């Protein structure tokens, strides 16, 4: 058992035993190697099944929306930013939460690790920055930093921005000369190239809505794709409907997306869904100096109004 898992189990069990929370949201081991699943513990015994490793990449803030209980939650940097979003957007109150912060060293990109082997992976073990991966016929030791998810490679908020306790000392934050090289590469395409890029990107989309369901920002009571009166978008696989879903969902996340990567993690077709939202993350920073989910004391730029706004529509 690694030190993070041991501390998470201890803190979660104590919270439940002392009655400080009604439940704790964390991760437990999945049924196959490299799989963890979100889990809710209501007893110290259930909390003793929690785990933490480089596969705990889904965003647990997704499970906070409109809950009424007193909740403990395990939160790495991106989870904590979406917890801030939830509080700012009045989906839960700070007083309801006890946040167990996890200084994060990055989550692994499972498809790229699976691609190293011809056979199914039978064992995955994390030893510091080294990953031990086995199949029935061979095994490899690989450097974790070489197999981080794309969003973790550009993350500059690995430590929780809000917490009640940390399971370990904060980690050193990354400093990047240019965190938006990927977005600029798309911006530099001409119109036809950019259109083809997104057309190709969506070739495999089956509209399962896994990206939407995994996103902690997608909590509307009725999503626009599910509306029938009026029906904003068709239900089938017509390319225009597929494009409409992805483009509108991305704009709905403008100024709110923390680039947690939950959408890509959930996609069964390995579509780089972040290609839609990264541009909006970049524009929010460059136009408004805004990074989502860093503070409880400031409203997001797209839900504020200033009488002296220079744009003509105000006048």
């Amino acid at each position: 058992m690694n030190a993070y898992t041991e501390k998470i189990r201890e803190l979660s069990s104590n919270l439940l035993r002392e009655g400080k929370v009604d439940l704790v949201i964390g991760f437990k081991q999945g049924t196959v190697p490299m799989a963890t699943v979100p889990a809710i513990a209501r007893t110290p015994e259930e909390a003793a099944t929690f785990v933490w490793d480089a596969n705990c990449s889904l965003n647990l803030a997704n499970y906070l929306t409109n809950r009424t209980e007193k909740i403990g939650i395990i939160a790495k940097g991106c989870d904590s930013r979406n917890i801030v979003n939830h509080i700012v957007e009045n989906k839960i109150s700070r007083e309801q939460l006890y946040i167990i912060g996890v200084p994060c060293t990055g989550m692994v990109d499972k498809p790229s690790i699976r691609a190293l082997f011809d056979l199914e992976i039978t064992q995955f073990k994390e030893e510091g920055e080294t990953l031990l991966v086995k199949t029935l016929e061979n095994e490899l030791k690989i450097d974790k930093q070489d197999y981080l998810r794309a969003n973790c490679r550009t993350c500059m908020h690995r430590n929780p921005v809000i917490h009640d306790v940390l399971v370990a000392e904060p980690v050193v934050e990354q400093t990047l000369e240019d965190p938006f090289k990927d977005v600029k590469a798309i911006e530099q395409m001409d119109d036809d190239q950019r259109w083809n890029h997104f057309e190709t990107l969506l070739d495999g989309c089956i509209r399962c809505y896994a990206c939407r369901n995994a996103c902690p920002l997608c909590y509307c009571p009725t999503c626009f794709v599910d509306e029938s009166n009026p029906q904003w978008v068709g239900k089938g696989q017509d390319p225009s409907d597929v494009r409409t879903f992805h483009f509108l969902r991305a704009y709905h996340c403008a100024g709110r997306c923390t680039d947690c990567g939950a959408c890509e993690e959930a996609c069964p077709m390995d579509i780089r869904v972040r290609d839609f939202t990264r541009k909006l993350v970049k524009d929010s920073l460059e136009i408004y100096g805004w990074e989502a989910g860093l503070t409880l004391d400031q409203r997001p730029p797209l839900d504020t109004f200033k009488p002296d706004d220079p744009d003509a529509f105000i006048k």
Side-chain angles (χ1 to χ4, degrees):
M1 183 192 311
N2 64 50
Y4 274 23
T5 294
E6 187 174 3
K7 193 65 177 177
I8 286 171
R9 290 180 179 182
E10 175 193 336
L11 291 168
S12 301
S13 296
N14 288 342
L15 286 175
L16 291 164
R17 190 176 294 110
E18 295 165 6
K20 292 182 178 178
V21 298
D22 300 313
L23 57 92
V24 181
I25 304 173
F27 287 96
K28 67 179 182 181
Q29 191 63 50
T31 55
V32 296
M34 299 184 66
T36 57
V37 293
I40 290 179
R42 298 182 186 275
T43 66
E45 291 75 21
E46 290 174 338
T49 66
F50 280 163
V51 299
W52 186 269
D53 65 15
N55 297 301
C56 295
S57 46
L58 287 176
N59 196 318
L60 295 182
N62 202 26
Y63 300 92
L64 292 179
T65 308
N66 296 331
R67 297 198 76 112
T68 57
E69 306 101 320
K70 180 77 174 178
I71 298 171
I73 183 168
I74 316 301
K76 53 189 179 295
C78 49
D79 299 70
S80 73
R81 293 177 63 189
N82 281 282
I83 291 172
V84 169
N85 278 345
H86 266 62
I87 296 171
V88 169
E89 296 178 1
N90 300 316
K91 304 313 295 179
I92 199 161
S93 72
R94 177 67 180 95
E95 292 71 28
Q96 282 178 259
L97 299 174
Y98 190 96
I99 302 167
I100 300 174
V102 178
C104 180
T105 56
M107 297 290 123
V108 295
D109 180 35
K110 298 170 192 175
S112 67
I113 294 178
R114 291 192 191 104
L116 297 173
F117 303 93
D118 293 327
L119 297 178
E120 188 175 344
I121 292 172
T122 57
Q123 186 178 343
F124 173 91
K125 191 174 181 182
E126 190 175 354
E127 296 175 342
E129 289 299 300
T130 300
L131 307 177
L132 174 63
V133 190
K134 291 185 179 180
T135 69
L136 288 176
E137 292 186 353
N138 61 350
E139 66 179 67
L140 283 178
K141 284 188 176 180
I142 56 179
D143 188 335
K144 174 181 170 181
Q145 295 302 314
D146 292 338
Y147 290 89
L148 290 183
R149 296 187 341 162
N151 66 305
C152 295
R153 289 199 294 270
T154 57
C155 175
M156 293 189 287
H157 302 287
R158 290 179 159 188
N159 294 297
V161 300
I162 183 174
H163 58 81
D164 293 294
V165 63
L166 289 175
V167 302
E169 292 297 317
V171 297
V172 176
E173 296 287 4
Q174 298 188 109
T175 54
L176 302 174
E177 185 176 337
D178 184 0
F180 294 109
K181 288 181 180 176
D182 54 334
V183 182
K184 291 176 181 175
I186 297 174
E187 288 176 336
Q188 288 168 2
M189 298 176 183
D190 62 33
D191 290 349
D192 288 340
Q193 290 173 326
R194 195 176 303 123
W195 180 261
N196 289 334
H197 171 79
F198 285 106
E199 284 281 277
T200 304
L201 193 69
L202 293 178
D203 268 352
C205 180
I206 57 175
R207 286 189 67 183
C208 64
Y209 300 138
C211 53
R212 177 196 68 180
N213 296 344
C215 177
L217 302 176
C218 287
Y219 54 69
C220 292
T222 304
C223 178
F224 73 94
V225 295
D226 297 325
E227 284 278 5
S228 58
N229 186 21
Q231 184 170 336
W232 301 105
V233 57
K235 306 295 184 186
Q237 284 300 102
D238 186 279
S240 63
D241 293 328
V242 175
R243 294 176 204 136
T244 300
F245 163 63
H246 283 283
F247 283 121
L248 286 187
R249 197 189 82 82
Y251 276 111
H252 198 180
C253 297
R256 303 166 67 224
C257 179
T258 62
D259 200 27
C260 71
C263 48
E264 289 193 354
E265 173 72 13
C267 180
M269 306 305 290
D270 295 333
I271 294 173
R272 298 196 311 274
V273 187
R274 292 172 53 251
D275 275 15
F276 294 99
T277 51
R278 288 275 294 160
K279 165 67 173 169
L280 299 167
V281 171
K282 174 177 176 287
D283 285 354
S284 292
L285 182 61
E286 291 181 350
I287 297 172
Y288 302 106
W290 174 259
E291 291 183 272
L294 295 186
T295 176
L296 294 172
D297 302 322
Q298 188 177 352
R299 299 296 305 179
L302 296 182
D303 79 350
T304 57
F305 167 80
K306 294 179 180 177
D308 58 348
D309 193 305
D311 285 346
F313 75 93
I314 296 295
K315 303 167 186 174

